[in-house]
Amino acid sequence: MSPRNPFRPTFGASPHHWAGRQTILDDFREGIADGPGDPHRSLIISGARGIGKTVLLTELEDIAAEAGWIVLRATGREDTVDVLVDSTIPEKIRQLDPPATRALTGVGVTGLGRIEVDRIAEDKPAPTLTSRMRELLSLLRGAGVLITVDEVQDADPDALSALANGYQDLVRDDEEVALVMAGLSHGVGQLLDLPGTTFLRRARRYELGPLTDTDAAVTLRETAESGGLPFVERAVPAAVDIARGYPYLVQLVGYLAFRTAARDGSSAISRSAVEAIREEAVETMGVQVHHPSLKGLPPAQLNYLQAMSDLVFDVGDDAAAVSTSEIAAELGKTPNATTDTRGKLLERGLIDAAGWGRVAFTLPYMANFLRGGGRINRIS
Ligand SMILES: Nc1ncnc2c1ncn2[C@@H]1O[C@H](COP(=O)(O)OP(=O)(O)OP(=O)(O)O)[C@@H](O)[C@H]1O
Ligand SMILES: [Mg+2]
């Protein structure tokens, strides 16, 4: 039987061997221990697609859970606050304090009991995030509650300000609460500019960048070894080179190389097994990351990226920084006429400023993908 592949190139799937991000984990652990008001209890994590936001949220949730906290997970893709108020928090309350143990009038007279309970509920003011949270906290005897919100870039601005206000009330009253939000850099930036979210602007912000080569190497080495099929030492730098510190690629490169070696019946992952999967890794990155990142991009922005990728290709280095005036020239425009487009691409996190008058692609292999016409050529 071939060994089980220990790599996890799947969005949202926590890696078997964690790489980097140590400062955030340590700060948060301290924040939880230090008590109400600690600044490391309110975090905002942003970064490009596949950089590791969701798995970092999971890791932070684990830290809170280890400290005996309750974790409430929400996402910006649904009615964030309504779901918390109407189902997530009541569900936790029911788990901690089952209705059967509450002294209800009319218990035993099923029909009548139901009517009485309903009537009481009608007279009460509608629950809010703050009131629900207070109810939950009162059952916890000193333990805290962590709320995490993933995909905040998709959140409804009103829901986000309701969340910010509710959370602010709890913090002001020294309740044991923490809030961690994660999303794409562009969307997070926009949401924090909204008038209703002033409070969130004071949260600690972490912009996730690539992993260091050392961290990537350690993760590749340890993960493969734990699966019973280690990298030969010479193969590690080759894998690190393909992965470019991008966490999704670290998992993908490891996964594909491990699979190749296992299919060949090898006892280790050789350098040639790694080289053999380079192309497939880059293509899969196109399907999973580049293609969705470019979806719905206005033509002017796409043209800008195309021109940029031509110049990057001339340099021969996918990560090269190119001059913005050369991009403008390539497009047959004056530099001024492209400023607006460049700004939008920077905001979207598709390109980064790389020194004065220069830009580079944020995601590895983007230039490569655009050179292929920005289409998915082959789905393997
Ligand atoms: N610190 C890390 N160490 C090792 N692998 C990681 C790390 N962070 C992320 N990964 C891996 O990278 C991949 C992407 O992670 P994740 O789903 O968290 O990205 P994301 O930023 O949430 O992406 P998206 O913006 O699409 O939601 C997963 O396969 C995950 O296992
Ligand atoms: Mg995610």
Side-chain angles (χ1 to χ4, degrees):
M1 211 182 70
S2 59
R4 214 181 147 139
N5 200 320
F7 289 95
R8 311 192 76 190
T10 303
F11 286 84
S14 291
H16 286 309
H17 290 268
W18 184 258
R21 321 291 190 216
Q22 210 52 50
T23 327
I24 308 180
L25 300 176
D26 293 343
D27 287 353
F28 186 67
R29 195 173 286 116
E30 252 175 57
I32 291 288
D34 280 352
D38 189 282
H40 293 104
R41 284 184 170 199
S42 318
L43 312 184
I44 295 177
I45 296 158
S46 54
R49 210 174 276 279
I51 204 78
K53 300 177 295 296
T54 299
V55 303
L56 181 58
L57 271 191
T58 309
E59 206 68 14
L60 297 170
E61 288 174 352
D62 289 350
I63 288 175
E66 273 164 29
W69 282 42
I70 297 273
V71 176
L72 305 175
R73 179 174 264 217
T75 126
R77 295 235 163 112
E78 50 195 25
D79 298 335
T80 317
V81 174
D82 289 349
V83 171
L84 281 169
V85 172
D86 298 334
S87 54
T88 318
I89 304 177
E91 178 57 31
K92 283 286 176 209
I93 292 173
R94 260 194 301 279
Q95 284 169 12
L96 292 163
D97 183 24
T101 65
R102 288 184 212 166
L104 285 179
T105 46
V107 165
V109 194
T110 326
L112 188 61
R114 168 60 43 89
I115 290 163
E116 278 184 24
V117 171
D118 285 352
R119 203 171 285 146
I120 292 168
E122 256 174 35
D123 293 344
K124 275 197 210 160
T128 62
L129 182 66
T130 319
S131 69
R132 282 278 199 240
M133 284 289 285
R134 290 219 165 91
E135 197 181 341
L136 176 59
L137 286 157
S138 72
L139 298 169
L140 294 180
R141 296 185 198 91
V145 178
L146 164 66
I147 299 177
T148 63
V149 189
D150 202 359
E151 316 281 3
V152 275
Q153 77 278 351
D154 293 337
D156 165 33
D158 291 338
L160 207 72
S161 41
L163 179 68
N165 289 331
Y167 179 70
Q168 182 173 20
D169 283 346
L170 297 166
V171 169
R172 200 189 292 119
D173 293 347
D174 276 346
E175 296 280 12
E176 291 281 2
V177 284
L179 175 66
V180 184
M181 308 203 293
L184 295 171
S185 314
H186 165 60
V188 169
Q190 277 192 333
L191 284 170
L192 293 181
D193 283 342
L194 297 170
T197 57
T198 321
F199 181 69
L200 296 179
R201 255 169 264 161
R202 288 182 217 123
R204 281 289 136 104
R205 274 201 76 173
Y206 296 93
E207 171 77 21
L208 298 186
L211 301 170
T212 62
D213 282 354
T214 313
D215 284 339
V218 170
T219 295
L220 284 160
R221 217 182 265 125
E222 288 182 354
T223 312
E225 206 166 294
S226 74
L229 207 54
F231 278 96
V232 302
E233 203 39 49
R234 259 167 39 82
V236 176
V240 167
D241 179 60
I242 304 175
R244 304 269 192 85
Y246 185 69
Y248 170 71
L249 271 177
V250 170
Q251 298 296 325
L252 182 65
V253 167
Y255 180 88
L256 295 172
F258 190 98
R259 191 177 65 177
T260 303
R263 284 181 180 169
D264 293 348
S266 312
S267 58
I269 306 172
S270 66
R271 189 171 174 121
S272 61
V274 172
E275 289 302 344
I277 58 90
R278 186 183 282 269
E279 201 180 325
E280 188 176 355
V282 173
E283 274 180 15
T284 308
M285 177 84 182
V287 176
Q288 298 293 334
V289 182
H290 300 135
H291 188 71
S293 305
L294 297 174
K295 221 166 78 186
L297 203 67
Q301 293 177 42
L302 202 55
N303 289 341
Y304 191 96
L305 294 181
Q306 290 286 5
M308 196 176 147
S309 75
D310 288 346
L311 291 168
V312 164
F313 238 71
D314 293 345
V315 182
D317 170 10
D318 191 78
V322 289
S323 139
T324 52
S325 44
E326 277 180 43
I327 299 170
E330 185 87 6
L331 289 165
K333 294 187 171 172
T334 63
N336 267 345
T338 57
T339 310
D340 183 49
T341 306
R342 186 187 63 221
K344 288 189 173 131
L345 289 166
L346 284 165
E347 243 181 44
R348 270 181 199 267
L350 290 171
I351 61 173
D352 286 324
W356 201 81
R358 301 175 84 78
V359 286
F361 285 107
T362 309
L363 293 167
Y365 305 112
M366 181 66 104
N368 195 81
F369 181 73
L370 287 160
R371 283 286 287 198
R375 286 183 303 273
I376 298 166
N377 298 317
R378 199 192 80 196
I379 300 172
S380 45

